[in-house]
């Protein structure tokens, strides 16, 4: 058996690893979009490290776009095999990929318009795929529940286990029989965190012989969770009750938005939430929340208990879901206190930029950053305390309060990753670290070595290893 590292190798995005069995059968683990430098992304997302027509199947760990975002392109290039995923991953893949196709089309038309106006060439702009390509990709899905072996071929079986990262997320274990031997290859996908709301905790994988392991938060530790409910309530009280201002929460549509809405739902049920309107203003967030309602099989015990007396954990009096762009604009004219949850989480795209632009110079307002913001984004500038930012080409003074809550992360920190892999100590022969920056991988390699894992490697894009 061979494994070729075709994405998220030596970096974070574009997750994709090709497994080739000795009889020639090819299975691709994830087919993610590369989201780094735009010039590099153009080529990276259009070329594959293999011929898509020769691929037999794809197995998806979860529905984040850096794990599924090139799937329609793969189909466009001739892939016709099965795509294995959990039921919730399939549901989320539909809305995530449709959103991605629509954004690409919108950006393309906008860029062409600007280029033509300025007399510039229009190369390097075409969308990767269309809405039609997304539907073709979706027709290939075969859904598989957690905790059961599925025989894909006589010598290859697949097992999904809860990864605790986002709704539907799974670690992948492959049982392979070759030349009279049986062994297991594991892929962690993205490792989630214990004790997060809504979804179940990550479960340890089977003991495997070889492990492809993520390393996003190598060398880092998250803020502890118990304080986050009180922290959020304090920010709401200060902003909306004492200052009578607006609280703007830039949040990722998938996961983070539902966690915050669920927390506000609990505050509403307990009577702690002040009587102010709450808006979830993002079409993707609204669609993602609908998918959460469809998959109670993914809920943790806390949420199962909660819905016994509150059947809708993502809906309460005063909560409004906004999809129409005119309704979104109307929020700007509201003069009374309000909470506005909108994407993107990094304030680099989407409607939240308008809400931040309208409130950033108002000292009564607060912008609450609840997720990772890449350097260069407006969210990052706010999180590190810049006094001025640029939005829509205008310079804006930061007069609103800026708050940061780091505890919402869906990624395990270093200690949590170590806990997740600790049961592999006696079985695993080699670990391949992917999905991490150079610094994160170096730190995690050191830590793994201290924990007794000696054979740890950091493959680069295109590297291939023979395993037996
Ligand atoms: Zn992820």
């Amino acid at each position: 058996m061979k494994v070729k590292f075709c994405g998220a190798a030596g970096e974070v995005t574009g997750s994709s690893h090709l497994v080739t069995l000795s009889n020639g059968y090819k299975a691709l683990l994830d087919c993610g979009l590369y989201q780094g430098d735009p010039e590099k992304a153009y080529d990276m997302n259009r070329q594959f490290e293999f011929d898509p027509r020769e691929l037999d199947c794809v197995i998806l760990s979860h529905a984040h776009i850096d794990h599924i975002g090139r799937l329609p392109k793969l189909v466009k290039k001739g892939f016709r095999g099965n795509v294995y995923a959990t039921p919730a991953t399939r549901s989320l893949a539909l809305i995530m990929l449709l959103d991605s196709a629509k954004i690409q089309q919108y950006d393309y038309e906008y860029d062409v318009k600007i280029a033509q106006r300025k007399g510039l060439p229009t190369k390097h702009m075409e969308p990767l795929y269309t809405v039609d390509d997304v539907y073709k990709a979706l027709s290939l899905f075969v859904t598989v529940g957690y905790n059961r072996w599925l025989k894909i071929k006589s010598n290859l079986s697949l097992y999904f286990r809860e990864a605790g990262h986002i709704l539907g997320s799974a670690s992948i274990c492959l049982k392979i029989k070759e030349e009279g031997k049986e062994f297991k290859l594991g892929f962690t996908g993205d490792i989630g965190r214990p004790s997060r709301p809504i979804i179940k905790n990550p479960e340890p994988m089977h003991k495997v012989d070889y492990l492809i392991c993520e390393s996003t938060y190598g060398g880092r530790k998250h803020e502890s969770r118990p304080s986050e409910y009180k922290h959020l309530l304090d920010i709401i009280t200060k902003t909306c009750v004492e200052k009578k201002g607006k609280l703007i929460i830039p949040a990722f549509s998938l996961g983070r938005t539902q966690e915050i809405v669920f927390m506000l739902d609990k505050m509403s049920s307990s009577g702690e939430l002040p009587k102010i309107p709450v808006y979830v203003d993002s079409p993707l967030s609204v669609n993602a929340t609908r998918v959460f309602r469809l998959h109670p099989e993914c809920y943790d015990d806390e949420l199962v208990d909660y819905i016994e007396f509150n059947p809708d954990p993502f809906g309460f009096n005063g909560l409004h879901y906004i999809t129409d762009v005119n309704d979104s604009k109307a929020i700007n004219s509201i003069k009374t206190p309000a909470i506005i949850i909108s994407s993107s989480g990094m304030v680099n795209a989407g409607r939240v930029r308008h809400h931040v632009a309208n409130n950033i110079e108002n000292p009564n307002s607060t912008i609450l950053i609840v997720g990772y913001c890449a350097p260069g984004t407006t969210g990052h500038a706010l999180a590190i305390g810049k006094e001025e930012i640029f939005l829509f080409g205008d310079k804006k003074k930061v007069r609103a309060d800026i708050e940061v809550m780091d505890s919402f992360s869906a990624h395990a920190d270093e200690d949590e990753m170590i806990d997740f892999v600790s049961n592999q100590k006696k079985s695993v022969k080699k670990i391949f670290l992917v999905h991490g920056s150079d610094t994160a991988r170096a730190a995690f390699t050191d830590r793994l070595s201290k924990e007794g894992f000696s054979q740890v490697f950091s493959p680069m894009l295109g590297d291939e290893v023979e395993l037996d």
Side-chain angles (χ1 to χ4, degrees):
M1 177 192 61
K2 289 185 287 190
V3 176
K4 187 171 187 182
F5 299 92
C6 304
E11 57 191 311
V12 179
T13 62
S15 178
S16 192
H17 314 295
L18 179 68
V19 180
T20 306
L21 305 189
S22 50
N23 63 3
Y25 188 89
K26 291 181 194 299
L28 188 68
L29 307 176
D30 282 353
C31 189
L33 194 75
Y34 175 76
Q35 296 172 299
D37 170 40
E39 276 292 312
K40 200 170 147 200
Y42 185 90
D43 292 330
M44 297 269 287
N45 286 328
R46 278 164 176 77
Q47 292 160 6
F48 290 97
E49 297 282 324
F50 50 85
D51 183 347
R53 292 168 302 182
E54 290 176 2
L55 191 62
D56 292 290
C57 75
V58 175
I59 304 169
L60 300 177
S61 65
H62 65 289
H64 273 148
I65 212 73
D66 63 323
H67 293 256
I68 63 166
R70 271 190 296 168
L71 192 61
K73 186 70 182 173
L74 193 75
V75 176
K76 219 175 156 178
K77 289 211 162 194
F79 169 67
R80 292 292 177 270
N82 288 338
V83 178
Y84 298 101
T86 64
T89 292
R90 186 203 181 274
S91 301
L92 288 171
L94 171 63
I95 61 166
M96 295 297 282
L97 293 173
L98 282 179
D99 186 68
S100 172
K102 285 175 187 164
I103 289 172
Q104 290 177 45
Q105 184 63 29
Y106 175 85
D107 287 350
Y108 168 65
E109 287 169 11
Y110 183 80
D111 288 347
V112 168
K113 199 166 80 183
I114 298 292
Q116 284 173 346
R117 194 182 296 162
K118 293 184 177 174
L120 297 170
T122 55
K123 59 169 191 157
H124 277 201
M125 292 177 186
E126 313 84 55
L128 266 177
Y129 45 80
T130 64
V131 165
D132 274 355
D133 298 318
V134 172
Y135 289 131
K136 278 182 198 141
L138 258 290
S139 72
L140 302 178
F141 272 62
V142 175
T143 60
V144 186
Y146 291 108
N147 302 331
R148 53 191 302 177
W149 284 105
L150 176 81
K151 199 172 237 183
I152 296 178
K153 297 291 284 179
S154 58
N155 62 339
L156 175 65
S157 300
L158 156 71
Y159 196 99
F160 285 134
R161 195 167 265 178
E162 178 64 65
H165 173 58
I166 60 167
L167 194 84
S169 64
S171 63
I172 296 169
C173 183
L174 298 180
K175 189 160 64 184
I176 297 159
K177 287 181 191 158
E178 283 192 334
E179 292 147 17
K181 282 188 281 182
E182 180 181 297
F183 54 94
K184 293 196 183 83
L185 168 71
F187 173 40
T188 61
D190 287 358
I191 305 168
R193 309 182 58 203
S195 310
R196 292 303 311 159
I198 303 177
I199 58 169
K200 294 183 180 118
N201 291 345
E203 285 179 29
M205 300 177 69
H206 285 100
K207 290 187 173 63
V208 298
D209 301 279
Y210 303 102
L211 183 64
I212 304 170
C213 183
E214 72 122 322
S215 54
T216 321
Y217 274 83
R220 291 173 62 184
K221 190 161 175 53
H222 295 311
E223 183 186 328
S224 68
R225 186 194 171 201
S227 60
E228 74 189 9
Y229 182 95
K230 189 180 173 305
H231 192 169
L232 179 60
L233 189 56
D234 286 347
I235 293 169
I236 294 169
T237 307
K238 188 176 155 207
T239 307
C240 302
V241 178
E242 293 168 16
K243 297 196 297 175
K244 305 214 180 311
K246 284 187 189 157
L247 172 60
I248 314 296
I249 310 179
F252 299 111
S253 300
L254 173 52
R256 201 62 39 86
T257 292
Q258 291 76 28
E259 285 188 13
I260 290 167
V261 168
F262 178 42
M263 206 174 280
L264 295 174
D265 195 296
K266 285 195 275 187
M267 291 174 189
S268 173
S269 295
S270 67
E272 291 165 289
L273 188 68
K275 298 247 174 297
I276 46 169
V278 178
Y279 299 94
V280 174
D281 181 23
S282 146
L284 181 59
S285 300
V286 175
N287 287 335
T289 308
R290 282 193 191 122
V291 172
F292 271 67
R293 289 189 175 111
L294 287 175
H295 288 284
E297 77 277 10
C298 299
Y299 295 175
D300 64 8
D301 290 346
E302 182 199 359
L303 185 50
V304 169
D305 289 347
Y306 186 82
I307 56 178
E308 259 187 49
F309 68 90
N310 185 341
D312 184 2
F314 309 110
F316 52 88
N317 275 342
L319 173 64
H320 310 273
Y321 285 98
I322 307 286
T323 51
D324 188 90
V325 71
N326 291 319
D327 293 341
S328 172
K329 286 177 185 162
I331 301 174
N332 293 330
S333 56
I334 296 171
K335 299 283 177 256
T336 48
I339 298 173
I340 301 164
I341 304 159
S342 186
S343 66
S344 74
M346 299 192 200
V347 202
N348 58 337
R351 293 179 182 177
V352 77
R353 288 176 304 159
H354 295 278
H355 298 303
V356 170
N358 283 320
N359 286 279
I360 194 73
E361 296 191 319
N362 183 346
N364 293 331
S365 298
T366 300
I367 318 290
L368 170 59
I369 304 290
V370 291
Y372 171 76
C373 293
T377 61
T378 304
H380 186 258
L382 293 172
I384 61 170
K386 290 261 177 185
E387 292 180 358
E388 287 177 344
I389 57 167
F390 282 88
L391 273 169
F392 305 111
D394 294 331
K395 194 197 282 183
K396 301 264 185 190
K397 286 234 177 292
V398 179
R399 295 202 176 94
D401 282 339
I402 307 299
E403 298 274 358
V404 178
M405 287 175 70
D406 165 48
S407 62
F408 285 98
S409 178
H411 276 280
D413 64 15
E414 186 174 279
D415 288 347
E416 290 162 344
M417 289 196 293
I418 289 292
D419 285 348
F420 186 79
V421 299
S422 60
N423 70 325
Q424 305 291 346
K425 228 171 250 183
K426 289 202 174 121
S427 66
V428 76
K429 295 177 201 157
K430 287 181 182 174
I431 296 180
F432 301 96
L433 293 186
V434 295
H435 207 287
S437 65
D438 292 348
T439 323
R441 279 181 286 111
F444 197 41
T445 304
D446 275 359
R447 177 70 188 274
L448 282 167
S449 151
K450 282 184 193 129
E451 300 288 335
F453 296 94
S454 55
Q455 296 290 301
V456 182
F457 304 88
S458 275
M460 293 292 119
L461 183 70
D463 285 358
E464 190 165 36
V465 289
E466 186 91 45
L467 304 171
D468 49 31

